[in-house]
Amino acid sequence: MTGGFAIKQYKIPTGLLTEERAGFPDLERLYQEALLMQRENSSYAVGREWEKNIAQGVAAGNTGWIRFVVGRMEHFVTVGELSSSAVRSLRYYVVAIIALITRAAMDGGMTETEAYALSDALIYKLDTLEDSEQISRLSVLAILEFTRRMERLHHRRYSPPVAKCVTYISGHLNEPVTLADLSRVCGRSEGYISALFREELGISAKKYVLREKLAAARELLVHTDRTVQQIAETFFFASSSHFSAAFKRQYGVTPSQYRRG
């Protein structure tokens, strides 16, 4: 994948479960030191309350509340000495915040595909930053970005069957999605699903799937250097010419023209 991202698999050595703390003899000492520091620093309670308020605001897609909470706290939190480097300690804390809001967003209805993709993008960017102010700015951006996306999601309220279908489609844009698939996902007949899509979205389920694929393809045209052929293959179009024709019908220009602006 372009942009520096890659999918990697790591084997977790489950055999360690029988070895208790073998290999990490100083873990208990580090824990006791961290425990003492937390007990002596009452401001950690404020940090925890701040995190709960942020998670609730993100899940609800409430940007007004998020801006109030962040502004009121001035994004000042107490961070434990997680590393010998102050910048690295702050970076670790922001990773924890991103993990928190990623799960809050999924609890609020964001698909795992979208939530983890945004999380990966933010953490990848975070890893390139060396200045504490930039890292702090990114933490605020992460919170607002998740909240804005949740706000848009909450504005699109569908019936439970259509909501299940929309969620499924969002997570399977790189696959062929048929009416039979949607029927299986929500446990309703194909005819019923087809009628619901026309009633609630004003288009057929097939046209909705195509629209979402084209919208996602448009983002790749703007934000990546993938070729038109690669993008067509990504979203399972029969060919690049089929993709280009569908794209032009939707947006009035070919993918190459759209990329050139």
Side-chain angles (χ1 to χ4, degrees), residues 1 4-10 120:
M1 181 175 180
F5 289 96
I7 300 298
K8 297 181 180 179
Q9 291 185 327
Y10 299 94
D120 287 349

Side-chain angles (χ1 to χ4, degrees), residues 10-162:
Y10 299 94
K11 182 179 179 181
I12 303 299
T14 53
L16 289 177
L17 292 174
T18 60
E19 299 178 21
E20 296 184 350
R21 298 178 194 160
F24 306 99
D26 61 340
L27 183 59
E28 183 62 27
R29 175 184 61 79
L30 293 171
Y31 165 70
Q32 291 297 334
E33 290 178 357
L35 184 62
L36 178 62
M37 182 172 60
Q38 294 228 21
R39 284 170 174 161
E40 293 177 342
N41 195 332
S42 60
S43 63
Y44 268 97
V46 177
R48 175 58 183 149
E49 189 63 30
W50 183 85
E51 290 176 0
K52 289 194 292 185
N53 286 332
I54 290 296
Q56 292 169 0
V58 168
N62 191 335
T63 53
W65 171 249
I66 287 296
R67 290 184 183 279
F68 170 76
V69 172
V70 174
R72 180 168 172 264
M73 297 296 295
E74 295 183 343
H75 198 54
F76 179 80
V77 292
T78 301
V79 180
E81 190 175 329
L82 305 177
S83 167
S84 58
S85 163
V87 169
R88 193 178 298 125
S89 288
L90 181 58
R91 187 182 288 119
Y92 288 157
Y93 179 78
V94 175
V95 168
I97 287 295
I98 292 173
L100 172 78
I101 59 181
T102 298
R103 281 152 183 77
M106 289 190 290
D107 289 343
M110 184 180 287
T111 67
E112 290 186 7
T113 301
E114 294 171 319
Y116 284 132
L118 182 54
S119 172
D120 287 349
L122 289 163
I123 292 175
Y124 188 87
K125 181 62 179 177
L126 173 65
D127 196 48
T128 68
L129 303 179
E130 296 295 338
D131 179 77
S132 60
E133 182 176 349
Q134 286 184 312
I135 293 173
S136 295
R137 286 179 180 276
L138 183 69
S139 68
V140 175
L141 172 63
I143 295 166
L144 287 173
E145 190 67 23
F146 266 102
T147 308
R148 290 191 191 106
R149 290 170 188 263
M150 288 302 299
E151 184 175 39
R152 291 197 295 269
L153 178 64
H154 287 309
H155 284 166
R156 300 180 305 179
R157 285 303 182 187
Y158 306 124
S159 63
V162 171

Side-chain angles (χ1 to χ4, degrees), residues 107-225:
D107 289 343
M110 184 180 287
T111 67
E112 290 186 7
T113 301
E114 294 171 319
Y116 284 132
L118 182 54
S119 172
D120 287 349
L122 289 163
I123 292 175
Y124 188 87
K125 181 62 179 177
L126 173 65
D127 196 48
T128 68
L129 303 179
E130 296 295 338
D131 179 77
S132 60
E133 182 176 349
Q134 286 184 312
I135 293 173
S136 295
R137 286 179 180 276
L138 183 69
S139 68
V140 175
L141 172 63
I143 295 166
L144 287 173
E145 190 67 23
F146 266 102
T147 308
R148 290 191 191 106
R149 290 170 188 263
M150 288 302 299
E151 184 175 39
R152 291 197 295 269
L153 178 64
H154 287 309
H155 284 166
R156 300 180 305 179
R157 285 303 182 187
Y158 306 124
S159 63
V162 171
K164 285 184 179 180
C165 290
V166 166
T167 298
Y168 177 83
I169 292 167
S170 177
H172 295 79
L173 292 178
N174 62 327
E175 302 172 18
V177 178
T178 67
L179 198 55
D181 293 326
L182 301 181
S183 174
R184 174 180 51 79
V185 166
C186 65
R188 303 295 180 92
S189 71
E190 293 182 26
Y192 182 79
I193 293 301
S194 181
L196 272 186
F197 263 81
R198 291 186 181 278
E199 178 183 339
E200 296 184 27
L201 288 89
I203 57 176
S204 67
K206 182 178 180 180
K207 286 186 177 180
Y208 177 82
V209 171
L210 177 60
R211 188 183 75 182
E212 293 301 294
K213 284 177 177 282
L214 291 172
R218 182 178 59 177
E219 294 302 311
L220 290 187
L221 286 168
V222 174
H223 301 294
T224 76
D225 58 1

